[in-house]
Amino acid sequence: MTGLSANPALSRVADRVQEDRRRSRYISGALTVALTIMVAWSVDVTVIQDTDWERIGSVANVWEATSHFIGLDLELFPDLLVPAIETLLIACLGTAFGLILCIPAAWFGAMNITPYPPITYPLARLMMTLSRSIHEIVWALFFVAVVGLGAMAGVLAIAVRSVGFIAKMTAEAIEDIDYGPVEAIRAVGGSNFQVIVYAILPQVLPQIVSVVIFEWEINIRRSAILGLVGAGGLGLVFFRQMNTFNYHGVTSVIVAILIIILLGEAISYFIRRRMI
Amino acid sequence: MAVLKVTDLHARYSAKGPEILKGISFEVEENDFFAIIGPSGAGKSTLIRCINRLVEPTSGSIVFDGQEVTTLRRVELRRLRRDIGMIFQEFNLVNRMSVMDNVLSGRLGYTSNLRTLFRAFPREDIDHALSLLDRVGLIDHVDKRADQLSGGQRQRVGIARALMQDPKLMLLDEPTSALDPKISREVMELIKEMAQELKVPCLCNIHDVKLATECCNKIIGLQDGVTMFSGLTGDMNEEKLGEIYAMEVL
């Protein structure tokens, strides 16, 4: 290979390019080493030190424990019907109530229609963040403490947990609307309320419906586990089967949860397809 | 007597921003079809939006129907807007609503919030809307959604919506700019006919000077927020037009 010595300018560029490439190799090498150390340390702390190896025993023991769960407790299924329906209803009622809570949240949280920006906008954003950053189980624990055991706590937990996402998406849709109709409704002498109902709502309604169906589908999953903390539905049965060491019963509950989730997905798929 | 009297109107969008209108004065009388012409950015849209205060003027006076507009409070302003119909360049229809609902929205100023929520308009409003839709040639499209119509048809819905208000003045903001030349002429003629029929004076922003001279009896020419010409259409000539549009030639 001939060098670039004949062309000093090009040669300088070549030096710089080579230097840059060498530096980026060092950097990626250093990053790889750092990452490996971090992973090794994590595995040591969380898996090696934190696991009760004596209790796990041999590989055969692990397999035996797993095999407890293989098989269904068919006798349990009739008893799952009511909790399954309850789970679905918790999801439906929770989503509906959440939607009502979204009205003020989305109204205050859309910068272009919020009544008094310095106060109402941060308030709405706080509501949304609070709703989303606290896990549904934690919300359910809170509401079980407030209204006692049962489906009511589940409905409230789902509702409050749903506000964040629905309101955020709705508020963003409102911020993106076409202002033409707003101007037109103002020009005929319409009030702010009329502007919202006549010029804004029709524009964002398809997005709201789509988001609500999506959230409802997720809420079925959520309500299926809320029973673990005493908020009704299939989760409660799951918890009971686990406590009585009826492992086949546990599997039956998981199958039931799977069925209603698939049902929810199917329903949401058909509604979406009909809408579009 | 003048229906609308504008005196020394100034407007700017922000305290530090440029002044868009620099002291505009004119009068619109009954039976006037009053054109505002001028190049893009001259302040035509701002001027027309100051009349019903979709844009707040910074100073000056607007007297409409014997009432000072610039000092009105919110409720009074909404009452005033009921008497001023407006037609927009981009039609500004609610696309996802039916033609009927769009025309009925012209009555919102007279409709309670509860009725608005359920879109429960009284029978006479529906009758009125139907007769207007028949008049603008859309009686076969009553139940269609607004976004299913062509541009010319949408603007006819816009006309019907404005007339639904029984306005005492019509503001037309470039009503034909989004339409092709043939449809533009048809729409403009329809507006003019309806205005004469219902004896509503019109104040019209218009880009097409030829169309303006055909339809309007008075013209005000703006350039960069300043009045360059004001008078009867007959007094307008090429030289003055050149002056108004001088910025564009450059």
Side-chain angles (χ1 to χ4, degrees), chain B residues 7-63:
Chain B
T7 318
D8 195 29
L9 195 71
H10 291 256
R12 59 173 78 219
Y13 284 100
S14 59
K16 283 182 184 168
E19 191 159 48
I20 309 294
L21 299 177
K22 300 163 183 165
I24 307 291
S25 304
F26 62 91
E27 279 182 32
V28 179
E29 280 167 62
E30 279 172 56
N31 307 322
D32 268 355
F33 204 111
F34 200 108
I36 306 168
I37 62 169
S40 304
K44 304 193 295 292
S45 282
T46 306
L47 174 56
I48 214 156
R49 278 172 173 70
C50 281
I51 308 295
N52 60 359
R53 277 177 56 192
L54 287 176
V55 170
E56 293 291 341
T58 36
S59 69
S61 146
I62 300 167
V63 178

Side-chain angles (χ1 to χ4, degrees), chain A residues 180 183 186 194 198 202 206, chain B residues 49 81 92 96 101 108 111 116:
Chain A
E183 196 178 34
R186 289 241 159 84
Q194 288 172 323
Y198 232 87
Chain B
R49 278 172 173 70
R81 283 174 176 170
N92 290 1
R96 301 185 58 86
D101 274 318
L108 284 179
T111 309
T116 306

Side-chain angles (χ1 to χ4, degrees), chain A residues 180-181 183-194 197-199 202-203 206, chain B residues 49 54 78 81 84 88 92-94 96-97 101 105 108 111 113 116 121 161 165:
Chain A
E183 196 178 34
I185 301 300
R186 289 241 159 84
V188 302
S191 62
N192 285 340
F193 177 80
Q194 288 172 323
V197 169
Y198 232 87
Q203 290 191 56
Chain B
R49 278 172 173 70
L54 287 176
R78 276 174 44 208
R81 283 174 176 170
I84 303 179
F88 302 86
N92 290 1
L93 303 179
V94 184
R96 301 185 58 86
M97 280 193 179
D101 274 318
S105 71
L108 284 179
T111 309
N113 283 346
T116 306
F121 290 89
R161 175 175 65 190
Q165 294 172 243

Side-chain angles (χ1 to χ4, degrees), chain A residues 152-232:
Chain A
M152 169 90 148
V155 170
L156 292 175
I158 296 272
V160 171
R161 180 65 181 77
S162 304
V163 170
F165 184 65
I166 302 179
K168 187 172 154 61
M169 297 306 277
T170 308
E172 270 164 23
I174 292 173
E175 283 170 355
D176 278 344
I177 54 157
D178 168 19
Y179 274 91
V182 173
E183 196 178 34
I185 301 300
R186 289 241 159 84
V188 302
S191 62
N192 285 340
F193 177 80
Q194 288 172 323
V195 167
I196 291 175
V197 169
Y198 232 87
I200 296 178
L201 218 49
Q203 290 191 56
V204 298
L205 206 57
Q207 274 148 297
I208 295 178
V209 172
S210 167
V211 168
V212 166
I213 292 170
F214 182 70
E215 191 74 11
W216 173 73
E217 196 190 309
I218 294 172
N219 282 345
I220 295 175
R221 278 164 242 260
R222 287 180 181 149
S223 71
I225 56 153
L226 284 189
L228 289 175
V229 294

